[in-house]
Amino acid sequence: MQLFLQQFIPAMEEGLTLGVPLAILLVILNRLPSEIFRKTFRTALKWGFWLSIFFVAVRVGTRNAISREVLEGFVTFIALVGEIGILLKLFNIKGQSDDKILRFSLAAVAFALFLYHGFELWLIPVGSVRAAVGNYFDINFATKIGGFVCGALFAFISSFLVYKSADALNNSRLKFVCVVQFAACMIQQFILLIQILMAHRVLSGDFWMDLMSPIINNSGMLIFIIFAAILILPITLFSQPKPERLPEYNPAEYRKILAGAIHKRRWGTGVIIALILMTTSSTAGSYVANKQAEIVPAVPVQASAGWVDVDLETVKDGHLHRFVYHASTGENVRYIVILKGGSAYGVGLDACEICGATGYYERDNQVICKLCDVQMNKATIGTKGGCNPIPVEYRIEEGKLKIPQAELEKNAKIFK
């Protein structure tokens, strides 16, 4: 069950974040008179789909040819620009120039969402394939792939329910739901963009760290912004007034219209059921999926003469070791140590600049980020960038790995 949920939950969340806004946007496009908008939308989706596969292949084949956070930051910026363009232009189409702006915005959103979330989605089974190391008929591998397929399928079915529910709304209510959904997506994207800019030192300093640390440390909760936006859809559908009885309707015709309206509301019931399953998966399911993340306990350490020492005999086995230092300001500063090979050690905080202080654990002799399930290359631990642990200064002396106490005190704010 744990292996299944470790694949099911990220596949479900990535699929929903991709499928739900596109489903609502497609309903709006189907109500526009010109086919050119729908054609632009389909073309952009195709480009996003194939490029997401291409970039995953390049990422896996070369490791360093594509910077994951740079790609995602660039695509997120494109999505934000397109979403702003749609919100500004979609509801006030006046002329040909406005049509061109809307087409560009549609293409930007469809392309960027599929490239970003498609890239993240395909990495899930690819990681399972690489971790299997040829054992593709093993029960664990089958469970992981099954979890991914079920998560992606559930996201597709839920997005279809969203599409049918949105299609049952009148134009004004559909536009309202679209604005709410896009606002939820933009909040997530804006936070991600700030995290990436912080990771690359474009935004730095105590102000940004103090502002973003609580958000980053609880970034797993951001998916509930999307869930809340989805909830608006059935609420809006159920509150929609029943069809007006026009004078030309005979009783039989009006009963048929009312029956059709009641039938449409059932799609909203389906969305609520799907939401209950989504919320359960992302709360109780995540708890079960991540229980193994505490396999390696954090060993308390203390400072002496301005240094925090760890005996090399303790960390020379090549496995992940976690330590915790209690800072003068009250925070528990965690850091990790792992032997990379020879006499080289990877030393860093149990936190990164993208995912915050969620930390790392060891799985199948690999270091894994708890939050995003990204596998670390041991050779890069101790260097800046991406989902790598934030590097910590250290030195080897008299059989001990020594870290300056001031270094840990300086980084205490990350663990608030």
Side-chain angles (χ1 to χ4, degrees):
M1 178 58 70
Q2 193 174 46
L3 287 176
F4 180 87
L5 289 172
Q6 285 171 357
Q7 305 297 306
F8 176 88
I9 294 172
M12 176 197 72
E13 293 181 350
E14 290 295 339
L16 287 170
T17 313
L18 168 64
V20 169
L22 292 182
I24 293 174
L25 189 56
L26 182 58
V27 174
I28 291 178
L29 290 177
N30 287 338
R31 298 186 184 184
L32 295 179
S34 177
E35 175 64 23
I36 191 67
F37 297 117
R38 290 181 285 277
K39 183 178 180 181
T40 299
F41 181 77
R42 291 192 297 268
T43 301
L45 283 181
K46 291 177 184 176
W47 276 99
F49 173 80
W50 289 112
L51 279 177
S52 66
I53 294 177
F54 170 76
F55 282 126
V56 167
V58 174
R59 169 79 179 181
V60 172
T62 62
R63 286 188 176 271
N64 297 321
I66 293 179
S67 170
R68 182 174 181 173
E69 64 270 17
V70 170
L71 172 65
E72 293 179 345
F74 176 70
V75 174
T76 299
F77 177 76
I78 293 176
L80 281 169
V81 171
E83 287 156 357
I84 292 171
I86 289 175
L87 294 178
L88 291 177
K89 296 295 181 181
L90 182 58
F91 310 125
N92 189 28
I93 302 174
K94 294 180 179 179
Q96 186 176 2
S97 62
D98 292 299
D99 286 357
K100 291 180 179 178
I101 292 175
L102 180 56
R103 286 180 60 193
F104 170 81
S105 300
L106 287 170
V109 170
F111 170 78
L113 285 180
F114 216 119
L115 179 53
Y116 176 86
H117 294 290
F119 180 78
E120 290 291 330
L121 202 58
W122 310 141
L123 282 176
I124 298 171
V126 167
S128 298
V129 170
R130 295 176 66 190
V133 195
N135 297 321
Y136 302 127
F137 299 99
D138 181 81
I139 185 63
N140 289 339
F141 177 73
T143 301
K144 290 179 180 180
I145 295 300
F148 168 77
V149 171
C150 290
L153 182 61
F154 177 72
F156 175 80
I157 294 172
S158 300
S159 298
F160 177 75
L161 291 173
V162 167
Y163 171 81
K164 297 298 289 186
S165 298
D167 195 40
L169 296 172
N170 60 39
N171 287 335
S172 61
R173 288 173 180 255
L174 176 61
K175 291 176 182 178
F176 167 73
V177 168
C178 181
V179 170
V180 172
Q181 187 61 54
F182 271 33
C185 291
M186 291 169 71
I187 290 171
Q188 274 196 319
Q189 292 160 357
F190 187 68
I191 290 173
L192 174 66
L193 203 56
I194 292 178
Q195 288 178 251
I196 293 173
L197 292 175
M198 289 176 63
H200 286 267
R201 302 293 193 275
V202 177
L203 299 176
S204 60
D206 291 342
F207 170 78
W208 289 106
M209 185 61 70
D210 293 341
L211 176 67
M212 294 300 297
S213 286
I215 298 174
I216 294 173
N217 291 343
N218 296 282
S219 55
M221 305 298 291
L222 292 178
I223 188 64
F224 292 97
I225 297 176
I226 300 297
F227 292 171
I230 295 174
L231 181 61
I232 296 296
L233 177 56
I235 291 174
T236 305
L237 178 60
F238 293 148
S239 65
Q240 188 168 250
K242 68 179 183 179
E244 182 182 357
R245 181 171 183 175
L246 300 178
E248 61 267 24
Y249 293 159
N250 61 46
E253 288 175 327
Y254 186 60
R255 284 195 299 272
K256 184 177 180 180
I257 293 171
L258 283 179
I262 293 172
H263 176 73
K264 289 179 178 179
R265 288 192 176 193
R266 292 172 184 166
W267 293 112
T269 303
V271 171
I272 290 178
I273 294 172
L275 266 173
I276 293 172
L277 295 175
M278 295 175 203
T279 305
T280 303
S281 298
S282 292
T283 51
S286 290
Y287 173 78
V288 173
N290 295 320
K291 280 179 69 176
Q292 71 166 27
E294 294 298 333
I295 289 177
V296 180
V299 178
V301 291
Q302 294 181 340
S304 175
W307 294 88
V308 176
D309 297 346
V310 172
D311 196 320
L312 291 181
E313 289 294 321
T314 305
V315 295
K316 71 176 185 179
D317 57 4
H319 290 290
L320 178 70
H321 295 266
R322 298 168 70 236
F323 301 91
V324 58
Y325 164 78
H326 189 71
S328 59
T329 50
E331 292 83 9
N332 289 319
V333 183
R334 302 188 314 273
Y335 66 93
I336 65 172
V337 178
I338 189 167
L339 178 64
K340 298 193 289 187
S343 60
Y345 288 86
V347 182
L349 298 179
D350 197 26
C352 81
E353 292 173 321
I354 294 179
C355 299
T358 51
Y360 304 87
Y361 66 97
E362 187 173 2
R363 184 178 71 202
D364 300 329
N365 203 33
Q366 300 293 333
V367 178
I368 310 294
C369 174
K370 286 185 188 178
L371 181 63
C372 62
D373 204 45
V374 169
Q375 178 179 303
M376 302 295 111
N377 181 356
K378 285 186 181 180
T380 66
I381 295 177
T383 59
K384 296 179 180 179
C387 210
N388 280 332
I390 298 171
V392 170
E393 177 188 345
Y394 77 96
R395 72 185 189 191
I396 303 295
E397 190 175 275
E398 298 178 351
K400 296 185 182 297
L401 187 148
K402 305 171 71 71
I403 296 176
Q405 180 183 5
E407 179 86 354
L408 299 177
E409 291 284 350
K410 180 181 68 175
N411 289 295
K413 57 181 179 249
I414 296 174
F415 294 87
K416 286 184 178 179

